[in-house]
Amino acid sequence: MHLKVNGDVHDVDAPDHWTLLEVLRYRLGLTGSKQGCDKGDCGACTVLVDGEPMISCLILAREAEGREIVTIEGLWPLHLARGGEGPDPVQDAFDRYGALQCGFCQSGMILSARALLDRTPSPTDEEIARALSGNLCRCTGYTQILQAVQSIVARARGVEPPRRSWEAANVGRQAGER
Amino acid sequence: MASRDIHGIDAPWGAFRHVGRDLRKVDGLAKATGAAMYTDDIALPGMLHAKTLRSPHAHARIRSIDAADALRLAGVHAVITGEHLPVTYGILPWTQDETALAVGKVRFVGEPVAAVAAVDEDAANAALKLIRVEYEPLHAYLDPFESLARHDPPIHEGRKDGNVSKHVHLAFGDVDAALAEADVVIEDDYVFHGTTHAAIEPHCAVGHYGADGVLTVWSSTQITHYVHRALARVLDVPAHRIRVIQPCLGGAFGGKSDPFSLEFVVAKLAMTTGRPVKMLYTREEVFYTHRGRHPMHMRYRTGATREGRLVGVDATIVIDGGAYSSYGLVTTYYAGQLLTGPYAFATYRFDSTRAFTNKPPCGPKRGHGSVQPRFAFEVQLDELASTLEIDPIEIRRRNLLGEHTTTVNGQRITSNGFARCLDVVEHASNWKTRHGQLPFGRGMGVAGSMYISGTNYPIYPNPMPQAAVQLKIDRSGLVTVFTGANDIGQGSNSIAQYLVAEELGLALDQVRVVSADTDLCPVDLGAYSSRETFMVGNALIDACRKVRPLVVRAVADHWQVDPSRVRFVDGVVVELDDPPLQPAGVAVGGEARPGASPPDAAAGRRWMTAAEAFQLAEARFDTLGATGAYNTPTLGGDYRGGTIGAAPAYSFTAHVVEVSVDVETGRITCEKVWIAHDCGRALNPMLVAGQMEGSAYMGVAEALMEAHGVNRFGLHAGPSLLDYRIPTTVDTPELAALIVESLDPEGPYGAKEAGEGPLHPAIPAISNAVFDAVGIRLKHLPFTPGKVLAALRARKDAAAGTPAPALAGGAR
């Protein structure tokens, strides 16, 4: 089969019953898409198919033929190719806001966020939460993930991102200095 | 010994440059771009794939196993069973009761029985279906009370105390006399159901055996060192010929802190076939592997004076351990030993019994052994407050343990910011104007807790350091840190970078970290009991303070000044102002980088780069490097078990939560959690807040959504991430992380733990908030709509029968 992934067309030989996730990970070596459940429950394998976030463990690889697939590995090069600097702003914001703990869910989470921002450049906080609700994270409690996306929206609107709880109230210092 | 040195809480160069800032993590962008390698991302040439055949019975004897057909299947390279890996293991030296594959009998549904290595997973799965196992089913014990009452047949043969896994009885002071004299005694039963970790990365291991006899195992483990020891024991390979590597890890929470079947199986299959072998658990297998939070049945009696001062606490706890010991011996102690703060108990007694049952084994989950008793006690304390008509925060203040003191069970307390935590959540939540005053159906609750910052004693008794690191100082200006510590997402590698950059006065990108590889890194005991920041941090400071004087002296002698006038700032060495600055133009800096101009920090002063300083020192003292270590001081109560629960420092937490309760449906919604946590100095507040938020989220989920249980056949009730409900973005309450810093005298720059403590209060605080909202006391977890509706009905019936007593708050 022929799959177009991150701009390149690959000629892939894989069993018919293999999912897109299996082909990405075990044939193309694109291991940034993670397998957390293999049943469509966790969202760690989310990739963009024609710009839409899709759960790649629920799509047979053959179904993705002829469509534009973007994985987490494609985001930074795509950003550079479009004249951007550094990593994709979503990737950068996740790093700056502590949204990455174990990182296992993050490729899917980042792609869901990317798709939202491509579709809706200035989403509300509720729209952000809804767009990411198909991606389970077990580390963060989501707060810093949502703040990371909100910071991109704030920057696009030209306003300061809201202060975070520990920045807003450094309430506990008893001695010493930073 | 340097490993027992206390390094103080102050910045090494006057003011902190990195510590205390919201810095990026060392691996953040690698994870964000998909470049980070996790265990299942490893593919070795010729690698085989292995699968496990698991028991369909909760308790059965194995009569025979026939794998002949499986071995004949095309693509199958090997099949192994218990007879190939008969040596027992277990995380604790005293309870080595597991085997990698069942030997003789199975003790829970899902227990590994046989394993197949084949060219791919499809062939391995097909082969599993051809393995014929003949079982003789035995009576399955699914209830801990039953398994304590009878043990014919026993779950484990040859034990003198039947199905008792561990029993602990400890008393401190005369509890009976204290309770007899108390003005008020509250007595009740509390139930904590089981929950599991549900890390998003399933367990995975890859084994490689070289012709040179070196065995390498990559594993998604949080305890590389203990896996190393267990592999040597079970495979009978000398430890020096085994290398264990933990790649990037996709979450653990205690669920990857035992040696697991798959690590031994891939090693054995690699040795048998001469090919690399990978095994990746399915999500269903992860649920059966479990080691999650123990279900506990708890009876508490708490007595207090009229003023609300605690005079005695008496606990009887039955723990459902599942089929194997795991950490259960420690769990049984922790269930009692860790309750003795943040409140002073005048007298205390606990009796805890862990029972074996034919269920997936329980183990340590975030807040090991202490989350369940904390739930029971904090709900009981709240009931004490309402009975005595004392504000729930006020009753906690009246019983403060305080700092630099000793608990009733003999544990040393150093720093203690709990009083401040209470102040902070009270203020931030507007408690005084809202608790007890919100409309019916809406309420606020408070709870507190204390947790260990590392354990004082390692899992196997030994006098060697608990944490060790090595530094390699390179002429390029790069410092490489080698640490056995397991970064499981909490950021221990990042903390290592920040601390070394701080100590040596370097820029962050001058420090790289190599971790959790037993060939390269000195031993660290691993990521459990919230020990990494505290112990590895101290080891790092120790190492830096051995090598730093050499570099400083080389520079000072080069400049012919006193070493006290040499200062490192962000990778630049400058001469201090006093005595006055040398005239401009004598700088030696820039030699290594022609055309470089002095950085701001060096304006008008003599300066050089750190790389130049390292070169001067290397020329003078030869190759630069250092080891560093940390070991705990001798602590603990003077009685059997008195060392369990001893920690070099303790963290403290207070939560206020706000809930709404729908009295029509019985559904509780947790609206907001204010989390105040005393973590000592916050080395990176953003990472501390991430731990606080993640902990609170997990606690809220355990109270309201999650349940890990088996049905009457021992089958898991719902082994998927759909059925085992963990919150999504839209289910998670607003979380406010309020950092309290008490600056511990023995922590690195005063730091303590942040990863486990902040989970504890969430669960009882929700129960207490529900009382404030609708006047019912929830004592059995999880707080399902059915339980809420039943309690509301009971309250209504009671009110109709007899006049309801005036309750402080909630009874509106």
Side-chain angles (χ1 to χ4, degrees), chain B residues 437-525:
Chain B
Q437 296 157 61
L438 295 172
F440 182 78
R442 198 143 180 133
M444 298 173 83
V446 67
S449 69
M450 166 180 102
Y451 198 65
I452 51 175
S453 194
T455 62
N456 226 65
Y457 295 89
I459 276 170
Y460 66 100
N462 75 79
M464 293 176 279
Q466 294 213 35
V469 300
Q470 194 157 1
L471 303 181
K472 170 183 164 291
I473 319 284
D474 192 81
R475 333 182 155 170
S476 66
L478 177 74
V479 175
T480 309
V481 182
F482 297 88
T483 166
N486 296 88
D487 192 324
I488 59 175
Q490 87 282 41
S492 58
N493 285 351
S494 302
I495 296 294
Q497 184 200 47
Y498 310 151
L499 291 191
V500 170
E502 191 72 60
E503 275 293 311
L504 298 181
L506 301 174
L508 289 174
D509 65 1
Q510 289 180 278
V511 182
R512 282 206 278 278
V513 182
V514 174
S515 68
D517 179 330
T518 59
D519 263 19
L520 304 182
C521 305
V523 168
D524 180 81
L525 299 182

Side-chain angles (χ1 to χ4, degrees), chain B residues 567-709:
Chain B
R567 173 166 294 186
F568 279 67
V569 185
D570 296 348
V572 175
V573 195
V574 294
E575 187 185 355
L576 281 187
D577 294 3
D578 184 28
L581 287 174
Q582 296 289 327
V586 298
V588 299
E591 288 157 324
R593 287 181 299 159
S597 56
D600 291 347
R605 310 170 191 196
R606 272 209 291 206
W607 70 283
M608 70 174 76
T609 63
E612 291 169 286
F614 290 170
Q615 289 163 23
L616 285 174
E618 190 176 338
R620 171 92 181 270
F621 299 109
D622 295 340
T623 305
L624 294 176
T627 60
Y630 173 78
N631 214 340
T632 49
T634 302
L635 294 173
D638 185 19
Y639 53 88
R640 184 179 165 83
T643 57
I644 303 183
Y650 295 86
S651 74
F652 296 88
T653 316
H655 287 187
V656 164
V657 306
E658 183 170 342
V659 302
S660 56
V661 181
D662 184 330
V663 294
E664 298 297 320
T665 64
R667 191 185 152 143
I668 301 166
T669 304
C670 183
E671 305 285 350
K672 182 161 182 175
V673 187
W674 291 266
I675 315 150
H677 179 69
D678 165 25
C679 63
R681 189 188 298 279
L683 300 178
N684 177 334
M686 185 172 75
L687 300 192
V688 169
Q691 290 301 312
M692 293 165 65
E693 291 157 1
S695 290
Y697 138 97
M698 197 176 272
V700 170
E702 290 188 54
L704 299 179
M705 294 173 74
E706 298 180 19
H708 178 98

Side-chain angles (χ1 to χ4, degrees), chain A residues 15-99:
Chain A
D16 284 348
H17 67 275
W18 272 33
T19 62
L20 177 58
L21 176 65
E22 286 172 304
V23 168
L24 290 172
R25 286 183 59 77
Y26 305 124
R27 283 290 186 267
L28 301 181
L30 295 170
T31 53
S33 304
K34 301 302 182 195
Q35 179 185 311
C37 67
D38 215 23
K39 303 179 170 187
D41 295 338
C42 75
C45 64
T46 302
V47 299
L48 302 184
V49 179
D50 293 337
E52 285 299 312
M54 306 271 271
I55 293 171
S56 65
C57 76
L58 290 187
I59 306 170
L60 290 177
R62 285 209 174 280
E63 292 180 283
E65 284 197 280
R67 306 177 77 176
E68 294 268 353
I69 299 156
V70 174
T71 71
I72 192 69
E73 290 91 345
L75 225 48
W76 177 31
L78 208 63
H79 181 63
L80 292 177
R82 287 173 183 161
E85 283 180 19
D88 184 282
V90 180
Q91 294 172 319
D92 192 55
F94 270 59
D95 187 31
R96 279 192 295 116
Y97 277 75

Side-chain angles (χ1 to χ4, degrees), chain A:
Chain A
M1 70 188 90
H2 299 280
L3 284 181
K4 191 172 182 195
V5 183
N6 300 329
D8 296 326
V9 178
H10 298 268
D11 188 1
V12 187
D13 181 26
D16 284 348
H17 67 275
W18 272 33
T19 62
L20 177 58
L21 176 65
E22 286 172 304
V23 168
L24 290 172
R25 286 183 59 77
Y26 305 124
R27 283 290 186 267
L28 301 181
L30 295 170
T31 53
S33 304
K34 301 302 182 195
Q35 179 185 311
C37 67
D38 215 23
K39 303 179 170 187
D41 295 338
C42 75
C45 64
T46 302
V47 299
L48 302 184
V49 179
D50 293 337
E52 285 299 312
M54 306 271 271
I55 293 171
S56 65
C57 76
L58 290 187
I59 306 170
L60 290 177
R62 285 209 174 280
E63 292 180 283
E65 284 197 280
R67 306 177 77 176
E68 294 268 353
I69 299 156
V70 174
T71 71
I72 192 69
E73 290 91 345
L75 225 48
W76 177 31
L78 208 63
H79 181 63
L80 292 177
R82 287 173 183 161
E85 283 180 19
D88 184 282
V90 180
Q91 294 172 319
D92 192 55
F94 270 59
D95 187 31
R96 279 192 295 116
Y97 277 75
L100 297 142
Q101 287 192 26
C102 85
F104 201 79
C105 71
Q106 297 298 335
S107 55
M109 194 76 80
I110 286 169
L111 288 167
S112 291
R114 179 77 271 162
L116 168 73
L117 294 172
D118 287 346
R119 199 167 60 229
T120 317
S122 195
T124 63
D125 290 355
E126 198 190 328
E127 285 173 321
I128 296 169
R130 281 199 182 283
L132 301 184
S133 63
N135 296 85
L136 294 177
C137 168
R138 194 57 166 163
C139 295
T140 60
Y142 302 107
T143 306
Q144 292 178 332
I145 291 172
L146 298 174
Q147 286 164 346
V149 182
Q150 287 160 1
S151 78
I152 300 169
V153 176
R155 193 190 290 178
R157 286 183 189 151
V159 299
E160 281 283 307
R163 296 181 78 191
R164 295 172 286 179
S165 54
W166 71 95
E167 298 170 320
N170 186 13
V171 288
R173 184 165 300 279
Q174 289 183 334
E177 58 173 6
R178 282 246 162 106

Side-chain angles (χ1 to χ4, degrees), chain A residues 26 34 101-102 129 171 173, chain B residues 31 38 40-41 420 729 741:
Chain A
Y26 305 124
K34 301 302 182 195
Q101 287 192 26
C102 85
V171 288
R173 184 165 300 279
Chain B
K31 288 173 173 173
Y38 297 71
D40 186 41
D41 301 341
R420 192 99 181 93
T729 48
E741 298 182 281

